[in-house]
Amino acid sequence: MLTTINGKELWLETTGEGPRVVRVSWPRWDKHVLRRRVNALASGNQVTAFDLEGHGRAPSAGTSPFQAGPEDLGAVLDHLGASSASM
């Protein structure tokens, strides 16, 4: 689902139960690759996947995802109310 985080729209999806894991899309991955990885991790974990800005289902806000990615990750964790997560 597109969610406004850090002043831009990022696509997030959370599935599973257990310790929190965050999976970030990689520019060369499509949604099918990310889906397979999320499904593999969701057994015994609560997995949140998000697409980097301008990749997958997240539109570009005009900044480089490699520059904004770490800040966006922190904002996603804040949005989830999580102080930490495995990656």
Side-chain angles (χ1 to χ4, degrees):
M1 142 175 70
L2 280 176
T3 306
T4 302
I5 295 176
N6 210 21
K8 61 187 107 176
E9 288 188 314
L10 297 176
W11 182 86
L12 298 177
E13 177 183 344
T14 300
T15 188
E17 294 183 20
R20 178 154 324 263
V21 175
V22 174
R23 195 70 180 133
V24 181
S25 68
W26 194 246
R28 295 182 186 244
W29 292 356
D30 66 12
K31 65 183 177 183
H32 304 291
V33 173
L34 185 59
R35 165 66 33 221
R36 286 192 301 270
R37 293 174 188 272
V38 167
N39 287 343
L41 290 168
S43 177
N45 296 293
Q46 183 179 44
V47 181
T48 297
F50 83 94
D51 287 339
L52 291 169
E53 172 190 340
H55 296 280
R57 293 153 283 196
S60 177
T63 58
S64 165
F66 297 106
Q67 291 175 329
E71 188 175 300
D72 290 346
L73 174 59
V76 166
L77 290 175
D78 288 346
H79 175 79
L80 296 171
S83 59
S84 65
S86 297
M87 291 191 68

